[in-house]
Amino acid sequence: MWTGGTSWSEVVDISILFEVLRRGAAVLRRAGKPTPACRTSGNLTLISVMEKTALDCSETWPRGAQSEAQLTAATGSNGAEDSAADRPAWDSKIQYVLAQVGFSVGLGNVWRFPYLCHQNGGGAFMLLYIFLLLIVGVPLFFMELAAGQSIRQGSIGVWKHISPKLEGIGYSSCVVCFYVALYYNVIIAWSLFYLGNSFQYPLPWHHCPTDITINDTGKECSSSSPTSYFWFRKALNITNSIEESGEFNSIMTGCLLAAWVIVSLAMIKGIKSSARVMYFSSVFPYVVLFIFLIRGLLLDGAMDGITYMFYPKLEIWGNVQVWRQAATQVFFALGLGYGSVIAYSSYNPVQNNCHRDALMVSCINFMTSVLASLVVFVVLGFRAKTIALDCVAENIGLLNLKAANESHQPWWPHFNMTDPRSVSIPEYREWYSQYSSSVGLNITDCNLEDEMNKGVEGTGLAFIAFTEVMALFPGSPFWSFLFFLMLLNLGLSTMFGTMQGILTPLMDNFSFLGRHRTLLTVSSCALGFLIGLLFTQRSGNYFVTMFDDYSATLPLVIVVIFETISVAWVYGTDRFLDDIEIMLKWRPPVVYKYLWKYVCLLAMVGLLAASLLRMIFKRPTYTAWNQQTASEMTLEYPGWALAMIISLIVFASLPVPIGYIRSVLKSRGTRDTPSPGGAGHEMHRELYTKCNSTDQLESNSHHAPSQEDGGHLRIAFLPVGNEQYQLLPQQEDEEEDEQDTGV
């Protein structure tokens, strides 16, 4: 007895349809034609399986217009298939989330965001950052996630699929990723150097070394600080300017080689190998940050640092440069434009909820920045209070010397001068404000807020300020080891994403490279090491600063501007939202349409204009270390360095116009060359049809597959009504069994 939920008539209808498809396939195999389908595309066929036998063939969608419900996957430039079955995939959702979080949460969250909060109004800057994150950051991040997931290609394939004229966007992303990888791995090499030096007690940067020639502390160290001396002289052995190149730093060259070997081994098997490393490299930094936060809250001065961090200075909202800095930080914090976000999302299943991922990763990224800022400010608060208390003790010592040589004065302090450490900073400052004019110039003010105002960012925060504080901790080698292991993991997780932004588009677009993943990975890392030797000479730190400030900023903004134009104005926001609706089974809010078309685009154009104007009206500068004065000074880049900066920006941006011009010239050549069948330009308009009979299927099969835009084949999944489309490979072997042609 038939007990299923489907009627006998439906079973008969389906069996008839199977027989029709089987016979049609057999006929076409004998004729050497592709398997019949409602849409034929190269070696892949789309078969519509419906619950009715009579199909309406009246509806067609020209390929030139592209369906609004189109989810596509582009093949490589040589026509190689890249089906979902052959593409690597994440083992689990948590693996993917850790990869995205690991890439977006990097060193900038630890040493750039806290500095910007420190310099730009604390809590007021955070509010501004949240505002820009919601209206610019999240929409653009969601756009990249959705594009990569639906088209299932790297950055080159995604934008090339939307329009061949825009393929240069993907190549620009690859160039910028390579720039970033070059200097980012140098920072990882520095972390390795400090990590290796953490296995000493006391730490080598705790005290100034003794110059054996004079049997005293060297002038450079005594005039600065032990941590500054160790960083500039022992680690970098830096020159006085970028124009003095100096010889190679052999220790840093070895550390750089080790860093590239680590990256190569982690990336050699693609996401399968790097994802395993992500479980540790993405999670461990959070463990360390929480440990440092708990330890920092127990330090004297921690609450002063937190108060300074969150106290809002709303007047900064009227400063255009603060808006520019906040927008730039949003832009780089999420990793927009690199192509890594697209590459990671392309390994997701099509039905993955990328909207939820965009909100979740953006939220985690921001909360990580806040957590890192708390850690930084409690540590800086402790450092500032320690320096201020040392200042008080030093001044009281000078007052005691005065007391021994002079009679009692009316301005004599009322607090206990026999124990300088018992005098609080407010007590001393109250006395100093009343009698500063009477005590002489050698007695100074000791202001805690002035010490907090001495902002430290980037390498200065990690390798000078933090190392100075950790040297004061009990068990300092342990804390130093934890901190630099955290920096190492933060750098590696971002580095993995950056390299994925290079390798994935190249392997997707060129099948030869895809077949030799290991060779491509090793060759890329070897090339990165050789070019990275530029950063291991004695002036290498100045080149790291140059690349960090200029090589990525403007090109990435240009890339994201063209990405937004591609989705919002070339492909169309309505079509894009239709595609997302097919993936998510629900339609995202219409507000994204207006954010992509207007708000995000105008914000990116404004950021580009502000950055260009700043470069034009304010000559680029860098901070150099002067060995004679043992202090930092600001210098202007020489002419050849400015030419290098311009060349880096132009070289990274050039693929966009070159790709457009190449596509235009190629399309003109295609139009001037008649197609083999004499069908003219009509042969380039592939139709999507609903078929009603075996005759219709056979008639459709006689149309040559369209290879528009230079022969790039596209696979489309077009859900229409209750129809279901399934990919079937073309059976080239005429002797294959009939059961191999299944629906």
Side-chain angles (χ1 to χ4, degrees):
M1 176 182 291
W2 178 256
T3 58
T6 305
S7 66
W8 277 108
S9 61
E10 290 174 323
V11 174
V12 172
D13 289 344
I14 293 175
S15 64
I16 293 174
L17 180 58
F18 278 4
E19 182 66 13
V20 169
L21 295 177
R22 184 187 63 79
R23 292 184 180 182
V27 170
L28 287 182
R29 281 201 303 272
R30 288 194 297 272
K33 301 291 184 179
T35 306
C38 292
R39 177 191 176 214
T40 304
S41 180
N43 294 329
L44 293 173
T45 308
L46 296 173
I47 300 293
S48 176
V49 182
M50 291 184 275
E51 294 182 354
K52 52 186 179 179
T53 55
L55 307 180
D56 182 10
C57 284
S58 61
E59 297 184 29
T60 62
W61 293 274
R63 176 175 177 175
Q66 295 194 15
S67 167
E68 291 182 356
Q70 186 175 359
L71 296 176
T72 55
T75 61
S77 61
N78 51 10
E81 295 178 9
D82 187 15
S83 64
D86 297 330
R87 190 170 186 79
W90 300 105
D91 291 337
S92 63
K93 182 63 176 284
I94 187 65
Q95 195 179 75
Y96 162 69
V97 172
L98 287 177
Q100 285 285 19
V101 170
F103 169 67
S104 63
V105 175
L107 296 173
N109 297 76
V110 175
W111 65 34
R112 180 65 179 168
F113 184 86
Y115 170 77
L116 292 175
C117 287
H118 184 272
Q119 294 296 98
N120 297 313
F125 180 83
M126 282 195 179
L127 293 176
L128 180 59
Y129 181 87
I130 293 173
F131 173 72
L132 293 175
L133 180 68
L134 292 176
I135 69 167
V136 177
V138 172
L140 291 176
F141 191 63
F142 176 40
M143 180 186 77
E144 289 198 357
L145 287 179
Q149 182 173 303
S150 64
I151 299 175
R152 298 181 66 74
Q153 290 280 293
S155 56
I156 296 175
V158 163
W159 308 116
K160 188 176 184 179
H161 168 76
I162 290 178
S163 174
K165 296 182 177 67
L166 301 174
E167 66 175 328
I169 298 175
Y171 288 102
S172 285
S173 294
C174 289
V175 173
V176 174
C177 276
F178 191 66
Y179 284 168
V180 173
L182 288 177
Y183 75 84
Y184 216 86
N185 231 18
V186 177
I187 301 174
I188 294 175
W190 294 342
S191 301
L192 284 172
F193 174 77
Y194 269 81
L195 186 66
N197 279 278
S198 297
F199 295 96
Q200 301 180 44
Y201 186 81
L203 292 172
W205 52 82
H206 186 46
H207 297 292
C208 285
T210 301
D211 189 342
I212 58 175
T213 59
I214 60 174
N215 197 26
D216 196 4
T217 301
K219 179 183 177 182
E220 185 179 7
C221 186
S222 59
S223 300
S224 55
S225 69
T227 51
S228 296
Y229 175 81
F230 186 86
W231 167 242
F232 288 113
R233 190 56 49 214
K234 294 297 184 180
L236 302 179
N237 194 19
I238 200 167
T239 57
N240 290 332
S241 72
I242 196 173
E243 297 183 270
E244 303 173 27
S245 60
E247 65 276 5
F248 285 106
N249 186 327
S250 58
I251 296 178
M252 282 304 170
T253 302
C255 291
L256 181 63
L257 177 61
W260 277 111
V261 169
I262 293 172
V263 172
S264 178
L265 292 176
M267 298 293 299
I268 203 163
K269 296 297 184 182
I271 62 171
K272 294 297 183 184
S273 56
S274 62
R276 295 188 182 96
V277 182
M278 286 290 183
Y279 282 112
F280 179 78
S281 63
S282 296
V283 175
F284 180 73
Y286 289 96
V287 176
V288 176
L289 285 174
F290 276 110
I291 292 175
F292 266 95
L293 180 61
I294 295 171
R295 179 68 182 90
L297 289 173
L298 302 177
L299 297 173
D300 187 23
M303 296 312 298
D304 296 308
I306 293 178
T307 302
Y308 188 92
M309 169 186 170
F310 284 106
Y311 182 77
K313 300 175 183 177
L314 300 180
E315 61 272 12
I316 61 101
W317 288 357
N319 189 335
V320 176
Q321 287 303 317
V322 174
W323 284 78
R324 183 188 66 82
Q325 290 179 337
T328 304
Q329 181 61 23
V330 168
F331 185 81
F332 283 104
L334 295 176
L336 301 173
Y338 287 93
S340 305
V341 173
I342 294 174
Y344 276 158
S345 64
S346 70
Y347 298 118
N348 272 332
V350 177
Q351 297 79 16
N352 176 63
N353 192 337
C354 54
H355 183 262
R356 182 178 58 197
D357 294 343
L359 296 175
M360 178 172 58
V361 174
S362 300
C363 182
I364 293 174
N365 188 292
F366 172 69
M367 295 308 296
T368 305
S369 297
V370 174
L371 174 62
S373 298
L374 284 171
V375 173
V376 168
F377 274 87
V378 297
V379 170
L380 291 182
F382 167 69
R383 174 175 176 264
K385 191 160 188 179
T386 301
I387 293 174
L389 288 173
D390 289 342
C391 172
V392 171
E394 181 180 352
N395 284 321
I396 291 178
L398 294 174
L399 287 173
N400 284 327
L401 290 177
K402 279 180 173 287
N405 300 322
E406 298 179 14
S407 60
H408 183 77
Q409 298 292 333
W411 46 262
W412 203 252
H414 61 276
F415 43 74
N416 182 12
M417 293 181 57
T418 59
D419 184 11
R421 291 294 176 183
S422 66
V423 181
S424 67
I425 296 174
E427 282 181 325
Y428 175 82
R429 295 203 67 213
E430 181 183 359
W431 169 82
Y432 183 83
S433 64
Q434 295 177 5
Y435 302 107
S436 58
S437 59
S438 305
V439 296
L441 297 177
N442 58 339
I443 306 299
T444 60
D445 189 15
C446 300
N447 192 341
L448 178 64
E449 188 171 348
D450 286 346
E451 294 298 330
M452 289 295 299
N453 283 332
K454 294 177 182 177
V456 185
E457 69 166 325
T459 54
L461 175 64
F463 299 106
I464 297 177
F466 252 84
T467 53
E468 181 180 332
V469 172
M470 287 184 296
L472 302 176
F473 287 177
S476 54
F478 169 75
W479 296 104
S480 178
F481 173 79
L482 273 186
F483 178 72
F484 289 109
L485 186 60
M486 179 192 72
L487 288 188
L488 178 64
N489 281 275
L490 281 173
L492 284 175
S493 58
T494 301
M495 190 67 188
F496 295 153
T498 303
M499 290 300 295
Q500 204 70 53
I502 301 171
L503 301 177
T504 297
L506 294 178
M507 290 187 294
D508 285 344
N509 210 53
F510 302 100
S511 62
F512 172 79
L513 298 178
R515 291 193 299 269
H516 299 85
R517 175 191 296 272
T518 301
L519 180 62
L520 175 63
T521 303
V522 174
S523 300
S524 300
C525 292
L527 179 63
F529 169 71
L530 292 176
I531 300 177
L533 293 176
L534 170 70
F535 307 108
T536 62
Q537 55 184 339
R538 290 182 59 196
S539 60
N541 184 50
Y542 303 136
F543 288 97
V544 170
T545 302
M546 175 194 293
F547 271 68
D548 188 31
D549 290 342
Y550 300 105
S551 71
T553 306
L554 289 179
L556 277 182
V557 174
I558 293 172
V559 165
V560 175
I561 287 174
F562 279 100
E563 286 183 0
T564 310
I565 292 174
S566 302
V567 170
W569 296 97
V570 177
Y571 188 75
T573 51
D574 288 326
R575 289 181 187 173
F576 193 59
L577 288 172
D578 287 340
D579 292 350
I580 297 173
E581 184 178 6
I582 297 300
M583 288 194 299
L584 305 184
K585 308 303 180 187
W586 59 273
R587 192 174 185 85
V590 72
V591 68
Y592 282 110
K593 172 180 178 179
Y594 301 101
L595 289 175
W596 287 329
K597 292 187 71 172
Y598 305 110
V599 177
C600 295
L601 188 57
L602 291 176
M604 289 295 101
V605 171
L607 178 58
L608 177 63
S611 301
L612 285 173
L613 290 174
R614 188 170 182 270
M615 285 187 63
I616 293 172
F617 292 107
K618 184 181 179 182
R619 186 183 174 97
T621 60
Y622 66 100
T623 302
W625 176 259
N626 188 287
Q627 185 174 3
Q628 285 70 39
T629 61
S631 62
E632 292 181 321
M633 55 185 180
T634 301
L635 301 177
E636 293 184 346
Y637 282 106
W640 63 266
L642 289 176
M644 185 176 178
I645 291 172
I646 294 173
S647 299
L648 289 172
I649 295 172
V650 171
F651 186 74
S653 307
L654 210 54
V656 177
I658 288 178
Y660 182 86
I661 295 171
R662 176 180 174 274
S663 179
V664 169
L665 294 177
K666 191 172 183 179
S667 62
R668 287 180 179 175
T670 304
R671 287 198 300 267
D672 294 339
T673 304
S675 56
H681 300 300
E682 293 302 319
M683 293 297 295
H684 294 280
R685 291 179 59 82
E686 187 176 66
L687 300 180
Y688 306 99
T689 65
K690 296 181 181 177
C691 311
N692 61 0
S693 67
T694 305
D695 294 334
Q696 179 66 29
L697 288 170
E698 292 179 356
S699 66
N700 285 345
S701 68
H702 288 290
H703 289 283
S706 173
Q707 299 205 5
E708 188 182 48
D709 303 326
H712 292 281
L713 308 176
R714 291 179 173 82
I715 308 160
F717 302 81
L718 303 171
V720 181
N722 292 324
E723 304 166 8
Q724 297 178 352
Y725 291 83
Q726 178 179 349
L727 282 173
L728 290 178
Q730 175 188 350
Q731 307 297 332
E732 296 179 356
D733 187 358
E734 296 181 5
E735 303 300 326
E736 223 168 347
D737 293 337
E738 292 182 356
Q739 62 266 29
D740 289 341
T741 307
V743 179

